[in-house]
Amino acid sequence: MTIKTTQTTESVEDFINAFAATPQKKKDGFELLELMKAHTGYEPKMWGPTIIGFGLYHYKSERSKQEGDWPLVGFSPRKAAISLYVYSAAPGQKELLEQLGKFTMGKGCIYVKKLADINTEILKEMISGTIDFLQEKWGKQ
């Protein structure tokens, strides 16, 4: 089984400019871009048509034969909400979620209406925790 979402060479900046539906989403998209780039030390890359990812790890599913590469953390400035891919259920993350601010939770991501609704210092802690957790589990690339 091949994974549909893979790293591409598309421009992250062009994507945000074209995809962010409102001036607020565009502003938040560029702020998140700088925050994650500075905090992770990784250059942003497009993953599939709509996800901006930082770093990568190689995983192998314990339940199926699926394996592949995936960004350590990322986000997408979607129309309804900004999707944050920063949650890994790493130790301490549930407690950080309680301090994050206003969001809703999906299966593997956090949705925020706007960046001002959350505490970016807590977000940085979640990013660090997720990267540490994933690199410990799957190894550094």
Side-chain angles (χ1 to χ4, degrees):
M1 185 170 150
T2 55
I3 300 166
K4 290 184 213 138
T5 306
T6 57
Q7 192 172 300
T8 72
T9 57
E10 298 300 311
S11 162
V12 171
E13 290 82 3
D14 289 353
F15 165 71
I16 293 173
N17 280 319
F19 190 74
T22 64
Q24 184 65 51
K25 286 270 183 331
K26 193 175 288 193
K27 178 181 173 288
D28 287 351
F30 281 109
E31 271 185 51
L32 270 171
L33 185 66
E34 289 310 310
L35 180 147
M36 287 190 172
K37 187 175 166 180
H39 191 69
T40 66
Y42 292 108
E43 284 300 313
K45 304 282 184 194
M46 288 302 302
W47 286 77
T50 61
I51 296 174
I52 299 166
F54 298 81
L56 71 92
Y57 67 99
H58 187 82
Y59 70 90
K60 291 181 183 181
S61 173
E62 291 149 18
R63 288 183 233 113
S64 70
K65 290 185 166 60
Q66 186 170 319
E67 70 174 278
D69 294 330
W70 195 250
L72 290 165
V73 293
F75 74 96
S76 185
R78 301 184 191 281
K79 191 173 186 176
I82 298 166
S83 301
L84 298 171
Y85 304 98
V86 299
Y87 184 76
S88 62
Q93 286 210 330
K94 280 205 181 349
E95 293 77 10
L96 288 172
L97 271 180
E98 293 168 13
Q99 303 168 54
L100 185 61
K102 198 170 148 188
F103 69 92
T104 55
M105 193 84 183
K107 201 173 189 178
C109 70
I110 294 166
Y111 301 107
V112 298
K113 294 282 184 204
K114 56 186 187 291
L115 203 50
D117 286 345
I118 60 169
N119 181 329
T120 54
E121 292 307 310
I122 298 295
L123 177 62
K124 288 178 193 175
E125 286 185 52
M126 292 187 78
I127 290 168
S128 296
T130 293
I131 290 172
D132 292 347
F133 176 79
L134 293 171
Q135 287 181 334
E136 203 170 286
K137 182 173 182 174
W138 301 107
K140 283 190 174 185
Q141 295 293 311

